[in-house]
């Protein structure tokens, strides 16, 4: 085997071992070294030069970038996830036919869809879906993201919250927690506008929270203007603190009449 390829393979084994131990700092250091070493392989994108070790080089590079994506999730670094995913993507789209399929492909593609959904980048979400084959759309990891987006757009927040318990891959938990937080905040905002108060049990049911302690923690961290008293959750303080915007009715009437006069002159 080529000495460079041997050195990369040995360093990659150390990266995998560190990732198994959750030694994220060491993983980041090893990953940086590996990325620099990969630049010496001319068979990789964007050059795609033929070489005797091209398949081995492409395979190990794909494996490294797949582990980089997983590392970014464990480090809860969305910017790193985006960078590493776009470095990995050509190995799925441009040279997939030259390599055996990767068992991590669909979990990572689904993870990227989930990231776009969490970041509310819905147009990019649908663009990525258009690039997938019909068979890929049937994969559980891809279907999970599609069903989540449909539930989110329909306002079926209970389905989004319950989907946290049925993630198809362990790496999905981080983004699902972010999505659950977003949905719970949306439900809380609607609830405080619809009700003056709710019983603790009704508030837990509305927010899909299982215990009084979890509800109290949510209120302390996310809704400090709510008040728990006598077994009830009061939203009145939140309503009082919310700014009341006046509708400039006279200004709107004057503008409408002015537009009407201008239209008469044009006609």
């Amino acid at each position: 085997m080529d000495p460079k390829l041997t050195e990369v393979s040995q360093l990659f084994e150390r990266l995998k071992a560190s990732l198994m131990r959750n030694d994220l700092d060491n993983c980041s250091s090893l990953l940086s070294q590996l990325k620099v070493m990969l630049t010496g392989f001319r068979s990789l994108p964007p050059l795609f030069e033929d070489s005797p070790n091209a398949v081995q080089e492409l395979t190990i590079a794909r494996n490294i970038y797949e582990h980089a994506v997983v590392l970014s999730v464990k480090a809860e670094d969305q910017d790193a996830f985006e960078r590493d995913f776009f470095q990995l993507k050509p190995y799925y789209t441009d040279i997939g036919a030259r390599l055996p399929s990767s068992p991590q492909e669909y979990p990572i593609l689904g993870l990227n869809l989930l990231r776009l959904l969490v970041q509310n980048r819905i147009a990019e979400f649908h663009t990525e879906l258009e690039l997938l084959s019909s068979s890929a759309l049937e994969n559980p990891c891809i279907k999970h993201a599609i069903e989540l987006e449909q539930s989110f757009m329909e306002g079926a927040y209970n389905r989004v919250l319950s989907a946290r318990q049925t993630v198809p891959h362990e790496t999905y938990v981080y983004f699902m927690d972010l999505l659950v937080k977003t949905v719970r905040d949306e439900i809380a905002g609607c609830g405080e506008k619809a009700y003056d108060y709710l019983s603790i049990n009704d508030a837990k049911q509305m927010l899909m929270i299982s215990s009084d302690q979890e509800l109290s923690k949510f209120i302390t961290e996310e809704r400090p203007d709510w008040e728990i008293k006598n077994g009830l959750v009061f939203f009145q303080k939140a309503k009082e603190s919310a700014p009341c915007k006046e509708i400039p009715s006279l200004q709107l009437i004057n503008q409408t009449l002015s537009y009407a006069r201008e239209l008469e002159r044009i006609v």
Side-chain angles (χ1 to χ4, degrees):
M1 185 183 287
D2 180 76
K4 283 186 178 179
L5 193 56
T6 301
E7 187 179 359
V8 169
S9 299
Q10 292 172 347
L11 201 60
F12 178 48
E13 290 301 319
R14 291 173 56 192
L15 172 65
K16 290 194 290 185
S18 295
L19 197 59
M20 289 290 290
R21 297 194 306 267
N22 282 325
D23 186 354
L24 303 186
D25 290 336
N26 191 43
C27 284
S28 297
S29 175
L30 292 171
L31 180 62
S32 297
Q33 296 176 54
L34 283 166
K35 286 183 176 180
V36 172
M37 294 171 73
L38 289 179
T39 60
F41 294 161
R42 300 184 65 82
S43 62
L44 305 186
L47 299 176
F48 297 111
E49 291 186 7
D50 288 328
S51 71
N53 298 315
V55 173
Q56 293 94 323
E57 291 171 357
L58 289 167
T59 301
I60 196 167
R62 183 181 67 182
N63 290 340
I64 289 169
Y65 286 123
E66 286 177 340
H67 281 71
V69 168
V70 174
L71 173 61
S72 67
V73 173
K74 288 195 172 189
E76 300 183 357
D77 188 340
Q78 295 186 45
D79 292 334
F81 179 98
E82 186 163 7
R83 289 194 302 270
D84 293 327
F85 176 78
F86 281 116
Q87 287 177 306
L88 171 63
K89 193 176 179 182
Y91 294 87
Y92 295 151
T93 57
D94 298 339
I95 54 178
R98 297 177 61 184
L99 300 177
S101 60
S102 167
Q104 297 301 316
E105 179 174 357
Y106 290 136
I108 288 176
L109 290 176
L111 194 59
N112 181 57
L113 291 173
L114 187 55
R115 174 186 66 91
L116 294 174
L117 187 57
V118 166
Q119 295 176 349
N120 201 30
R121 294 159 65 174
I122 305 301
E124 292 174 63
F125 178 94
H126 286 284
T127 300
E128 291 294 325
L129 281 184
E130 291 295 326
L131 299 175
L132 297 177
S133 65
S134 56
S135 60
L137 296 176
E138 294 301 316
N139 184 274
C141 293
I142 306 298
K143 287 181 71 175
H144 181 262
I146 294 172
E147 290 169 359
L148 271 176
E149 191 267 345
Q150 290 172 345
S151 299
F152 199 74
M153 294 299 105
E154 292 169 5
Y157 295 145
N158 60 324
R159 294 208 301 265
V160 177
L161 293 178
S162 61
R164 166 65 174 77
Q165 311 302 323
T166 58
V167 290
H169 198 270
E170 60 181 5
T171 54
Y172 283 48
V173 172
Y174 166 60
F175 285 120
M176 279 303 304
D177 284 343
L178 293 178
L179 189 60
V180 165
K181 182 181 182 300
T182 300
V183 167
R184 197 162 272 155
D185 286 342
E186 186 70 20
I187 293 173
C190 294
E192 69 185 16
K193 289 178 174 61
Y195 304 103
D196 291 330
Y197 61 87
L198 284 174
S199 70
I200 287 179
N201 286 336
D202 287 341
K204 288 193 298 183
Q205 184 177 1
M206 178 180 73
L207 296 168
M208 294 192 71
I209 288 176
S210 57
S211 66
D212 292 359
Q213 292 79 8
E214 191 179 352
L215 176 64
S216 179
K217 182 181 177 183
F218 173 80
I219 292 173
T220 301
E221 295 179 354
E222 306 296 337
R223 287 293 190 274
D225 46 4
W226 291 7
E227 184 180 10
I228 299 179
K229 187 169 60 176
N230 300 327
L232 300 172
V233 180
F234 289 89
F235 308 127
Q236 196 59 38
K237 285 186 179 179
K239 291 185 176 182
E240 290 171 357
S241 62
C244 181
K245 295 183 180 179
E246 293 185 2
I247 299 175
S249 54
L250 287 176
Q251 182 182 348
L252 290 173
I253 291 170
N254 287 330
Q255 285 179 351
T256 304
L257 292 174
S258 175
Y259 295 153
R261 285 194 295 269
E262 291 298 326
L263 282 173
E264 283 181 359
R265 289 175 186 171
I266 294 171
V267 174

